[in-house]
Amino acid sequence: MSEQKIERHTVAVVVDNEAGILARITGLFSGRGYNIESLTVAEVDAKQSLSRITVVTSGTPMVIEQIKAQMERLVPVHKVNDLTVEGPHLERELALVKVQSTGEKRVESLRIADIFRAKVVDSTNNSFVFETTGSTEKINAFIKLMEPLGLVDVCRTGVVAISRGPAWL
């Protein structure tokens, strides 16, 4: 018997924008012991009252299939797409990163921010708040480089994702 590999998947779910649907989706995960690595939700169609939930999770291919099948059975769910297996897609995340430093460390944090195309969105005499967007890997790399320079706080949005090309989810 071969051991199945744990894979990271990004799943986009279109649902009715109604109270309780997010709790039902997250309850599905927690009730079965599945972990949510990232979760974002927003209304995407006000006329039809639809929201899009983007979930990043990990599991064996069998577990991922179970998660998708269980989400598809929830009544207010219109569509479940596993962007990871359905073809090319884009993933982005936004982070606000606060660094407290002076002197050369302050200058170095600005240099690194420039390399990562991070914007200074707040500045005091001894701190910066940087805004950066990109892949999860890019955000992680930026945060890691800021740690020795006086990192004091991080706030992340979670992953948003969309398929490439003309088709709508």
Side-chain angles (χ1 to χ4, degrees), residues 66-130:
Q66 285 176 338
I67 290 170
K68 292 188 303 188
Q70 290 165 354
M71 281 193 288
E72 285 172 343
R73 283 195 289 272
L74 293 176
V75 171
V77 171
H78 293 275
K79 197 167 191 184
V80 176
N81 288 82
D82 185 347
L83 297 174
T84 303
V85 297
E86 291 181 11
H89 67 282
L90 302 169
E91 292 186 17
R92 292 294 181 268
E93 186 174 358
L94 177 136
L96 297 175
V97 178
K98 186 184 293 184
V99 177
Q100 181 179 350
S101 59
T102 57
E104 189 54 38
K105 284 187 175 184
R106 185 172 170 85
V107 173
E108 184 62 16
S109 69
L110 285 169
R111 283 188 200 127
I112 292 170
D114 187 50
I115 292 167
F116 279 80
R117 295 189 178 127
K119 294 188 284 185
V120 175
V121 292
D122 185 60
S123 177
T124 67
N125 288 336
N126 62 357
S127 71
F128 289 116
V129 175
F130 297 105

Side-chain angles (χ1 to χ4, degrees), residues 12-28:
V13 187
V14 176
V15 299
D16 286 340
N17 186 9
E18 62 182 43
I21 183 57
L22 181 58
R24 292 176 67 194
I25 296 276
T26 57
L28 183 149

Side-chain angles (χ1 to χ4, degrees), residues 6-67:
I6 301 293
E7 301 172 349
R8 177 185 180 270
H9 284 251
T10 302
V11 180
V13 187
V14 176
V15 299
D16 286 340
N17 186 9
E18 62 182 43
I21 183 57
L22 181 58
R24 292 176 67 194
I25 296 276
T26 57
L28 183 149
F29 278 80
S30 65
R32 290 159 182 82
Y34 304 146
N35 187 41
I36 296 174
E37 296 175 17
S38 174
L39 177 69
T40 57
V41 184
E43 185 176 59
V44 293
D45 188 333
K47 288 180 183 175
Q48 295 185 47
S49 190
L50 297 176
S51 288
R52 180 184 182 122
I53 300 172
T54 305
V55 181
V56 178
T57 190
S58 294
T60 64
M62 186 175 82
V63 165
I64 299 298
E65 288 305 315
Q66 285 176 338
I67 290 170

